[in-house]
Amino acid sequence: MAHRSRLTIAWLAALLAVLVDPIGIRSAPAQVFNPESFTLSNGMQVVLIANHRAPIVTHMVWYKVGAADEPPMKSGIAHFLEHLMFRGTKDVAPGDFSKIVARLGGRDNAFTSYDYTAYFQVIARDRLEDVMRLEADRMANLALTDAVVDPERDVVREERRQVVENRPHARLREQMQALLYLNHPYGRPVIGWDHEIANLTRADALAWYGTWYTPSNAILIVAGDITAEELRPLAEKYYGRLKGGQVPPRLRPQEPPPQAARRVELKDARVRHPTLTRLWLAPSYTAGEREHAYALQVLSELLGGAATSRLYRTLVIDKQLATSAGTWYEPDMLDLSSFGLSANLRPDADMRALEAAIDAEIERLLKEGIEAEEVERAKKRMRAAAAYARDELSTGARVIGTALATGQTIADVEAWPERIAAVTPAQVIAAARHVLRPERSVTGLLLPEPSS
Amino acid sequence: MSFRIFTIRLVAIVTLVIATVAPSSAVEIEQVKSPGGIEAWLIRDRMVPLVSMHFAFRGGAATDPAGKTGRAEMTAQLLTEGAGDLDSQKFAAMLEDRAISLGFDAGHDSIQGFVKTLNEHRDTAFDLLRLALTQPRFDTEAVERVRAQTLAAIARDAENPETLARRTWWATAFPDHPYGRPVRGTVETVTSLQPNDFRDFVRNRFARDNLIIGVVGDITPDELGPLLDRAFGDLPARSAPIDVPEARFMGDGRTTVVNRTVPQSVMVFGNDGIKRNHPDWFAASIVNYILGGGGFNSRLMTEVREKRGLTYGIYTSLVALDHAGLVLGSSPTANARVAQTLDLIRAEWRRMKEQGPTAEELADAKNYLTGSFKLQLSSSMSIASMLVAIQYDDLGIDYIDRRDALINAVTIDDVRRVAGQLLDPARMLTVIVGDPAGLAPDESGAGGPATSPATPAQGG
């Protein structure tokens, strides 16, 4: 298994979109976590998700800042700082953070998204205090030199080559994202544009760190074999005594009403089978027409969430135009999100026929509506899948961290099954009619370069 | 594993389980024997009302005849595409409406399966598994659809620099052995496979005498027994013999370049190693951890990434197959810096061979390999997989209790001796896919533009 570190969520999302039938991952679970939460005196929120299966814990610190908070010309600084957080403090030498964690029998990593940046360790419960000491230390005492910053910048540029430039589908997604957002920084890649990464400095990183990395802007989440009585004194001891400054408001340029469908083609000699991807600008839990956020999850499930969903049945099985077809929707974005659809052309099929069939399927949905039974089946699948959420140690920590960093509450997460259960066929159709409109869309074609 | 359920796939990517190490009995394994004589290892866990089962049949893609490469993998995909009276869509609906995940995956040496179900649906889940194992339909629509999906995947593999580098490496390392052929097959073989080929595979491989089962969940041995019979009781008693020879590794220090116009080259490198049953397994595991297996703490990561920024990641691992062992690594780097990176890799390979680890590195490696074992107890399916792995390698039901001691018994002399034997630049094979600059003329090797490697010389 690849042990690729310092992940970007953008990369993960691209990977997932390509590798699997999208089922709306981070929206799935709820009401099973039963978390406890309290706030330290300096404003840092703490969440505990008890799980006593094995004597291990996941320890995560989330910062409510991500790539969409970056100033102009500094794209990639959120992710670059995430790398640099492993490159030393006053007391811990560059690179020693992960070495110490490994010596304790633990694993560590971090990830950056548009709306948040998070750091985590998985470790034996009796070593929790050690990683809390380390994580609190780098929240306050990061110490960077050019000698570590310069090679790390090269590492990030190699990461960009690996996860974007060497992958035609990732290059296309980057172009589509830039077209979907006319004004909002979601149009920039999380990892940054290469020419701007190349100019990021130690001073940029420290300015970012100084502005955003403070206890009142952080969330501590611990999942695993521990109780609140055990956790609270440790949290106070290591995080509670850090000084808590205030962070500036997250002011981001917002989207104007979209006016026209957009289209982009990327041709690459390495592409053998064309792919069609379409994104529609969509509301999220906290932005735009928020009342559609739950119905859009049901829509994604019944349209393209599984092998018995409409798109797979029509495009892959009945018409035999595609080898795969699916949809996805992420409701937990701070600003306007997107609803996505993707289909891989079957080797002997025609791209125009595939696109016409997709258009016809959407048209049919909008015109003829949806059977109540179809909605019930989709909702049942979603709620059943949610029952699995507590089976994996880190799932609850990831779901709750994402929610809290994007303007949701723990109560929202816990209410997810009820809110999905309450979605009606009329709401699903209303959400589809709101979102699946040509002027909200970007269509991207990944095509083979005509060979010589 | 090609798990179909989304959450599981994400877990596979994010939790980065480095399997192998044992805690003091955090878990109690029960040996279950069904009324019909099917054996399984069970760990009871009442945390969530579900059952996760992982199982394996010995004999995988390496049993595919030369002209039928890809047979095991395509069979694995087709088992859940319709069985008994249920066509593909009806079978999928039975699973999806109950959130049952059920699937198969073929490797070189085995075909593995998994079932995860809520307790309320477990009878249905085990019935569907029986149908998949004993009455797969192989309907024309499903076969042609999975064939198209497989051909599309093969085409993608052929142009993905990392996959292409790995495939070329294996083909060069084992030119006359099934391990040198891609599990997924080739365009030619996949195009020619027919339902009778899949039926042959099912008939030969799915039997009670080569079945290994691990179960985790909220279920008692008395409840599990009848379910095992329900799923596996109809299988024949005996499987066909597995006729796969020992694999001869053809490494001789050569570097093969496969030219592709991409901004970053991918390097795959390694030499022959040891199998899981070798007495030096843990010493070799420690050597690998220090060289390149230990993520951010390995020598290769320190030299290539942390000090010089030449790559986003460089890793090595011990690959233990039934008929071969390997030390295998990979790393991507910008085309202009391939030569420098390769020099560093070879220098570290040599330094470890000649000097072995330091005492401090040995101690760190032992701490990690013992302390991290319990981290894989993070989900029911990861625990079930561990139970299958322990049985597959015949390590014994007390293995988890013994493992720390086995690791801690490894001495500095052991790791120095094993490093000297295990690593050898003269036996190393290197494959580069990309447009690398600055390689010495003798390293531009066999690959012209877009070629596969030439027939390798005898060696190794």
Side-chain angles (χ1 to χ4, degrees), chain A residues 178 180-188 252-256:
Chain A
L180 184 68
Y181 292 96
L182 300 169
N183 196 42
H184 192 282
Y186 288 166
R188 300 190 301 235
R252 300 160 167 195
Q254 296 297 313
E255 282 299 289

Side-chain angles (χ1 to χ4, degrees), chain A residues 129-403:
Chain A
E129 184 167 358
D130 298 272
V131 295
M132 290 177 85
R133 184 187 303 118
L134 282 168
E135 194 65 78
D137 173 50
R138 69 177 170 180
M139 187 185 293
N141 300 316
L142 188 67
L144 299 174
T145 63
D146 285 337
V148 301
V149 170
D150 290 345
E152 199 62 37
R153 188 186 305 105
D154 286 341
V155 169
V156 173
R157 296 180 73 189
E158 285 297 336
E159 179 182 358
R160 195 185 145 80
R161 282 190 194 98
Q162 181 179 333
V163 303
V164 181
E165 284 153 29
N166 252 24
R167 299 180 185 179
H169 68 82
R171 287 164 52 220
L172 175 63
R173 280 298 296 275
E174 203 168 77
Q175 298 293 306
M176 292 180 67
Q177 192 78 5
L179 284 172
L180 184 68
Y181 292 96
L182 300 169
N183 196 42
H184 192 282
Y186 288 166
R188 300 190 301 235
V190 169
I191 197 169
W193 299 113
D194 186 63
H195 66 284
E196 294 190 341
I197 301 170
N199 291 324
L200 295 176
T201 64
R202 185 174 70 98
D204 293 330
L206 289 174
W208 186 257
Y209 175 73
T211 304
W212 297 106
Y213 280 54
T214 182
S216 64
N217 197 43
I219 307 158
L220 169 66
I221 304 185
V222 179
D225 190 16
I226 186 168
T227 64
E229 291 68 39
E230 294 165 318
L231 179 61
R232 190 189 287 267
L234 291 175
E236 287 290 356
K237 179 175 175 187
Y238 292 104
Y239 294 105
R241 67 183 177 195
L242 299 177
K243 271 182 253 158
Q246 290 305 305
V247 296
R250 304 173 81 173
L251 297 176
R252 300 160 167 195
Q254 296 297 313
E255 282 299 289
Q259 301 296 317
R262 281 138 281 167
R263 201 172 174 85
V264 59
E265 292 184 0
L266 190 142
K267 292 182 178 165
D268 188 296
R270 296 191 292 124
V271 174
R272 285 294 174 270
H273 298 305
T275 301
L276 183 148
T277 306
R278 188 170 289 166
L279 301 175
W280 289 267
L281 197 65
S284 71
Y285 282 135
T286 48
E289 313 282 325
R290 301 160 43 176
E291 68 271 23
H292 296 308
Y294 291 93
L296 285 170
Q297 294 170 61
V298 178
L299 174 67
S300 179
E301 175 65 25
L302 66 85
L303 193 58
T308 56
S309 299
R310 284 184 172 217
L311 285 177
Y312 192 92
R313 227 168 48 218
T314 306
L315 304 176
V316 180
I317 294 185
D318 293 346
K319 301 198 156 135
Q320 307 193 351
L321 291 165
T323 55
S324 68
T327 52
W328 63 93
Y329 166 63
E330 285 185 49
D332 36 18
M333 302 284 285
L334 203 50
D335 293 311
L336 288 178
S337 184
S338 62
F339 188 97
L341 179 158
S342 187
N344 291 310
L345 189 69
R346 192 153 164 155
D348 45 5
D350 175 62
M351 181 56 98
R352 279 165 303 186
L354 174 62
E355 185 164 4
I358 290 170
D359 289 340
E361 201 56 34
I362 292 169
E363 183 77 10
R364 181 167 78 89
L365 174 88
L366 297 179
K367 270 201 175 136
E368 297 173 18
I370 300 165
E371 300 288 332
E373 192 228 331
E374 209 177 345
V375 173
E376 285 312 309
R377 280 194 64 220
K379 283 160 47 176
K380 200 171 137 195
R381 288 205 297 267
M382 295 167 78
R383 280 174 292 146
Y388 290 133
R390 248 179 53 186
D391 183 39
E392 207 282 326
L393 179 68
S394 301
T395 303
R398 283 204 319 273
V399 169
I400 290 176
T402 303

